[in-house]
């Protein structure tokens, strides 16, 4: 028996939605639609009313006769253009966290280090309405920025997301009972300091994932996981993404690529009372000297030491005002008529994290 075809009407663009316009040179412009307003370019205007009520994938012309493609921003587009106080987990890494970390619908996920909310959005979409994400953040201003960005992305703060301001090692045991968490994602300077609380909260078979920037952090976290005796052998990796230029027979790799952004370390929680299998390895030629170990493990890990960039002072206060601003304006108002951010890259091709470009 032939199955009936399923179809649905296309979702039209409405006032209050973000749209992304791309010009013939690949330059992207993101702004919020508002009735009666205009988007200003250096060669003409585009009326928001020419877009509202129509579907994605259309082409609109400005008053100077230049055409623009119209789409809703993708997750990557949104992340690269949203207000940020801290560096974000780049989409290539959040994709690996969701897939290789097996973030499944209905999962209970704990995230430490909410930053600007980019990874929280990916986790929330992965767990679905029946799952939950609980974020822990040391800095209240970052929690405020993340809450605004997440509300902006989902058109309102999700019911299945919560944020706690405080140290994960201290607040996690107060929030979740033993074995009640399916996945823990750590995006922080010293994830090894949280392993006692994390291993207690994780269910047997649960996964802890750490996102760190430097080789010393990678090494220290892996060795700390092994030292607990409560996790299977960790897996470590990094992802590099290289785009390609394709124009007829002119096919070659792009000159620039998204190279190192961070390391991912994943390990699975063993059942209580069960020791992990020891990995067989070749004997080392010599034991590391005490001074070598000290130089690797004793220096304090700080944002400045690993080169992390975060907003401070006046810029941070501006970012806090911008995050979630779209949802704080009156419906149909004109406060959001101006672009919230203008480009992802001059050529329209993502070439790396925005803070590095």
């Amino acid at each position: 028996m032939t199955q009936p075809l399923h179809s649905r009407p296309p979702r039209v663009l409405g006032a209050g939605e973000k749209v992304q316009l791309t010009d013939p040179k690949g330059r992207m412009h993101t702004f919020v639609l508002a009735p009666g307003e205009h988007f200003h370019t250096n060669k003409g205007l585009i009326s928001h009313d020419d877009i509202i009520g129509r579907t994605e994938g259309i082409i609109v012309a400005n008053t100077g006769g230049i055409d623009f493609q119209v789409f809703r921003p993708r997750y990557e587009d949104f992340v690269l253009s949203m207000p940020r106080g801290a560096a974000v987990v780049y989409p290539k890494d959040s994709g690996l966290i969701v897939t290789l970390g097996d973030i499944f619908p209905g999962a209970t996920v704990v995230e430490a280090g909410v930053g600007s909310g980019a990874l929280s959005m990916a986790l929330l979409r992965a767990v679905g309405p029946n799952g939950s994400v609980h974020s822990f953040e040391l800095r209240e201003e970052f929690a405020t920025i993340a809450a605004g960005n997440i509300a902006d992305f989902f058109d309102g703060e999700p019911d299945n997301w919560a944020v706690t301001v405080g140290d994960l090692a201290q607040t996690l045991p107060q929030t979740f009972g033993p074995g009640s968490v399916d996945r823990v994602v750590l995006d922080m300077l010293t994830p090894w300091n949280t392993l006692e609380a994390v291993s207690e909260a994780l269910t047997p078979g649960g996964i802890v994932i750490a996102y760190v920037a430097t080789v010393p952090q990678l090494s220290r976290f892996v060795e700390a996981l092994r030292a607990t005796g409560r996790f299977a052998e960790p897996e470590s990796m990094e992802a590099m993404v290289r785009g390609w230029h394709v124009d007829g027979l002119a096919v070659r790799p792009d000159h620039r690529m998204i190279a190192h952004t961070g390391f991912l370390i994943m390990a699975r929680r063993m059942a209580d009372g069960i020791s992990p299998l020891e990995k067989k390895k070749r004997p080392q030629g010599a034991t590391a000297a005490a001074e070598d170990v000290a130089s690797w493990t004793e220096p304090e890990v700080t944002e400045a030491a690993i080169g992390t960039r975060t907003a401070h002072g006046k810029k941070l206060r501006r970012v806090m005002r911008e995050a979630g601003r779209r949802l704080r304006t009156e419906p149909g108002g004109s406060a959001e008529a101006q672009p919230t951010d203008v480009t992802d890259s001059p050529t329209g091709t993502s070439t790396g994290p925005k803070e590095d470009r």
Side-chain angles (χ1 to χ4, degrees), residues 106-128:
T108 298
V109 178
V110 164
E111 173 195 22
V114 69
S116 298
L119 179 58
S120 305
M121 299 170 195
L123 296 174
L124 283 164
R125 293 209 299 188
V127 301

Side-chain angles (χ1 to χ4, degrees), residues 30-64:
T30 303
F31 60 92
V32 178
L33 293 172
E37 296 296 331
H38 293 82
F39 173 69
H40 295 253
T41 72
N42 59 351
K43 293 185 179 180
L45 308 177
I46 296 175
S47 172
H48 290 206
D49 293 332
D50 291 341
I51 302 174
I52 294 174
R54 302 178 67 185
T55 66
E56 296 180 78
I58 62 172
I59 293 178
V60 296
N62 67 7
T63 53

Side-chain angles (χ1 to χ4, degrees), residues 27-350:
R27 292 174 295 203
M28 300 177 184
H29 310 268
T30 303
F31 60 92
V32 178
L33 293 172
E37 296 296 331
H38 293 82
F39 173 69
H40 295 253
T41 72
N42 59 351
K43 293 185 179 180
L45 308 177
I46 296 175
S47 172
H48 290 206
D49 293 332
D50 291 341
I51 302 174
I52 294 174
R54 302 178 67 185
T55 66
E56 296 180 78
I58 62 172
I59 293 178
V60 296
N62 67 7
T63 53
I66 299 175
D67 291 331
F68 290 79
Q69 293 178 158
V70 181
F71 291 99
R72 288 184 177 89
R74 301 169 300 165
Y75 166 78
E76 180 182 20
D77 302 325
F78 185 92
V79 166
L80 294 181
S81 65
M82 71 184 188
R84 65 180 69 178
V88 299
V89 175
Y90 199 59
K92 72 179 179 68
D93 297 314
S94 62
L96 279 177
I97 290 171
V98 168
T99 53
L100 299 185
D102 194 31
I103 311 295
F104 58 89
T108 298
V109 178
V110 164
E111 173 195 22
V114 69
S116 298
L119 179 58
S120 305
M121 299 170 195
L123 296 174
L124 283 164
R125 293 209 299 188
V127 301
N130 296 324
S132 65
V133 175
H134 196 116
S135 302
F136 293 81
E137 172 57 54
L138 279 173
R139 298 179 60 172
E140 185 172 2
E141 58 269 35
F142 286 173
T144 300
I145 292 168
N149 286 331
I150 291 170
D152 195 3
F153 184 74
F154 289 104
D155 292 324
E157 190 170 303
D159 295 333
N160 59 343
W161 179 73
V163 60
T164 296
V165 177
D167 186 346
L168 177 77
Q170 299 173 4
T171 54
L172 181 60
Q174 302 169 7
T175 310
F176 290 93
S180 60
V181 175
D182 297 305
R183 304 289 185 264
V184 175
V185 184
L186 305 173
D187 177 16
M188 54 196 305
L189 291 173
T190 56
W192 48 87
N193 291 335
T194 68
L195 283 180
E196 183 177 350
V198 167
S199 60
E200 190 68 22
L202 270 176
T203 185
I207 300 175
V208 60
I209 309 166
Y211 181 75
V212 297
T214 67
V215 170
Q217 288 173 293
L218 166 67
S219 175
R220 290 182 68 171
F221 187 65
V222 168
E223 295 304 328
L225 283 168
R226 290 171 176 157
T228 66
R230 306 183 75 177
F231 292 91
E233 180 64 17
E235 302 175 44
S236 307
M237 68 189 70
E238 67 173 332
M240 298 184 184
V241 176
R242 181 174 70 176
W244 281 68
H245 170 88
V246 180
D247 185 6
L249 296 180
V251 181
R252 55 168 175 75
D254 285 339
H255 296 304
R256 299 182 66 187
M257 67 177 290
I258 306 170
H260 176 75
T261 49
F263 297 105
L264 291 176
I265 308 103
M266 289 171 282
R268 303 200 72 171
R269 170 75 153 81
M270 300 295 295
D272 292 334
I274 304 298
S275 298
L277 294 175
E278 291 189 15
K279 182 180 179 181
K280 293 183 178 180
K281 51 187 177 182
R282 296 177 181 175
Q284 294 182 346
T287 303
E291 56 269 24
D292 292 333
V293 175
S295 66
W296 196 256
T297 60
E298 290 183 4
E300 182 183 3
V301 179
T302 64
E303 291 182 347
I306 67 172
T308 299
R309 304 182 195 178
T310 58
H312 297 281
K314 184 177 180 181
K315 181 179 179 181
L316 183 58
R317 293 192 293 272
R318 175 178 61 80
V319 172
M320 292 175 67
R321 289 194 302 269
E322 290 179 355
R325 182 178 60 175
R326 173 170 69 93
L327 297 177
R328 293 195 297 269
T329 58
E330 293 295 328
S334 60
E336 295 295 328
Q338 298 301 317
T340 55
D341 193 271
V342 179
T343 61
D344 286 346
S345 69
T347 63
T349 301
S350 297

